[in-house]
Amino acid sequence: MSSQTYVPSRVDLKAKKKIHISFGKIMLYFFMLLMLCFMIIPLVYVFLTSLKPLDELLKYPPPIFVKNPTFQNYKDMVTAFSSTTVPFLRYVFNSLFTTLSITVASVFVSTLAGYSLVKLRVKAANTIFNIVVAAMMFVMSATTIMNYLIVNEIGLIDTYWALIIPKIAVPTYVFLVKQFAEQIPNSLLEAARIDGATEMRTFIRIAMPMMKPALVTVFMFAFNANWSDSVTSLYYVTDEAKRTLPLAITTLSTAGGLARTGATAAISAIMIIPSVIVLILSQSQVQKTMAHSGIKA
């Protein structure tokens, strides 16, 4: 007696794929689309502004859409940086180098600190964590003078290290990672130690992959915060060849006046591109890793 395998027909498959649309789902999608528009409008406005001629840039109130688009602003940008002693690509390199160095170092330091406070039985861990929480209450401007004195004392003024080291340890990032590290099962870490893994190997091979959502979030925050920072370069660097792109933009817009308005708009549009790319890639990665992290409370 032969057995036959049931093969679903095309009608059955269509019935399974049938989507039930309700009024609640329509309202939900409408609300999400509305929020998406609110988030995209500022980005669209910046790029449209970079294509406006000077008469539209100076118009009040400023129009949202451009009537006579032109790439003259980008040509003015190239001309403006051609007249400076430092080429445009040098500023871009300085910003990319310092931003990526700070971001990678911040991810590693905050992850190591947050994990240690929870999983390594550090003495006075609660006291240290309370100090971290207290440090979150201080704005960066409140510690600027002290940071400058320390950087000057160790001889890092006018170096890339002056732009990197003071911004590596951020209390907010340590707090975020610490709260996420609490969800890692202690039994999993103990099993790795019983198998002969060292603490560093356990941290790198087991803890860090499980904390991937927190790491990606810290990476996103650190990159966006440092990519657009012009204050640090102004404080610690006097050599024009070591200054970052945001400070160059500020100097260009201040010194050029109305004549450089178009060039400033073009540079601002270019500055947004890396932050948008990192935001999009990080957001998708966070969603993916949160869905497959396997962490149980």
Side-chain angles (χ1 to χ4, degrees):
M1 186 174 180
S2 60
S3 60
Q4 295 180 352
T5 303
Y6 172 73
V7 179
S9 63
R10 187 175 299 178
V11 178
D12 295 333
L13 294 176
K14 287 183 178 180
K16 291 182 179 180
K17 293 182 179 179
K18 187 176 180 180
I19 300 175
H20 298 282
I21 300 177
S22 62
F23 178 76
K25 286 186 177 181
I26 294 176
M27 294 303 298
L28 176 62
Y29 289 132
F30 176 77
F31 178 76
M32 294 174 62
L33 182 62
L34 189 63
M35 292 296 102
L36 179 63
C37 292
F38 276 115
M39 290 186 293
I40 292 179
I41 284 176
L43 299 177
V44 174
Y45 178 76
V46 170
F47 285 103
L48 291 179
T49 301
S50 67
L51 299 176
K52 293 178 181 178
L54 187 59
D55 58 339
E56 294 186 28
L57 286 172
L58 302 179
K59 187 179 294 185
Y60 186 84
I64 297 178
F65 300 100
V66 54
K67 295 181 179 179
N68 301 307
T70 178
F71 288 97
Q72 185 61 40
N73 294 333
Y74 292 92
K75 296 179 181 178
D76 293 341
M77 177 192 71
V78 176
T79 303
F81 279 103
S82 298
S83 60
T84 59
T85 57
V86 179
F88 175 74
L89 291 179
R90 180 67 182 186
Y91 291 121
V92 175
F93 169 78
N94 293 340
S95 291
L96 284 175
F97 175 71
T98 56
T99 300
L100 291 177
S101 299
I102 294 170
T103 301
V104 173
S106 295
V107 170
F108 184 75
V109 170
S110 60
T111 305
L112 193 60
Y115 172 81
S116 301
L117 289 175
V118 180
K119 300 300 181 182
L120 295 186
R121 302 183 182 90
V122 179
K123 293 182 179 180
N126 291 332
T127 303
I128 296 173
F129 180 68
N130 290 333
I131 295 174
V132 171
V133 174
M136 293 171 59
M137 302 179 183
F138 293 92
V139 295
M140 188 176 179
S141 57
T143 60
T144 300
I145 297 177
M146 183 60 64
N147 288 339
Y148 181 84
L149 293 176
I150 295 174
V151 170
N152 184 49
E153 186 67 23
I154 59 181
L156 297 181
I157 296 295
D158 261 347
T159 64
Y160 287 121
W161 293 113
L163 304 177
I164 297 173
I165 293 179
K167 305 184 70 176
I168 290 178
V170 181
T172 306
Y173 304 158
V174 178
F175 177 84
L176 188 152
V177 175
K178 186 260 182 186
Q179 297 301 104
F180 198 90
E182 290 180 343
Q183 304 178 47
I184 300 177
N186 292 326
S187 58
L188 188 62
L189 302 178
E190 290 297 333
R193 297 186 182 108
I194 293 174
D195 289 341
T198 61
E199 289 295 341
M200 183 57 68
R201 185 178 180 85
T202 303
F203 169 72
I204 295 177
R205 300 295 298 272
I206 297 178
M208 287 191 70
M210 298 186 71
M211 292 190 295
K212 198 173 183 179
L215 307 190
V216 175
T217 304
V218 171
F219 184 93
M220 179 181 63
F221 287 162
F223 184 91
N224 291 331
N226 292 286
W227 174 251
S228 58
D229 179 31
S230 62
V231 178
T232 305
S233 180
L234 179 63
Y235 289 160
Y236 300 120
V237 174
T238 57
D239 186 3
E240 190 68 26
K242 291 186 175 65
R243 290 189 167 180
T244 56
L245 185 58
L247 181 59
I249 295 173
T250 304
T251 305
L252 181 67
S253 59
T254 304
L258 296 177
R260 298 299 188 191
T261 304
T264 304
I267 300 173
S268 300
I270 294 176
M271 281 288 296
I272 291 178
I273 295 177
S275 297
V276 172
I277 294 175
V278 171
L279 179 62
I280 294 174
L281 295 179
S282 300
Q283 186 177 14
S284 61
Q285 184 66 19
V286 166
Q287 294 174 351
K288 180 180 178 180
T289 50
M290 285 295 287
H292 299 87
S293 58
I295 296 179
K296 303 293 184 181

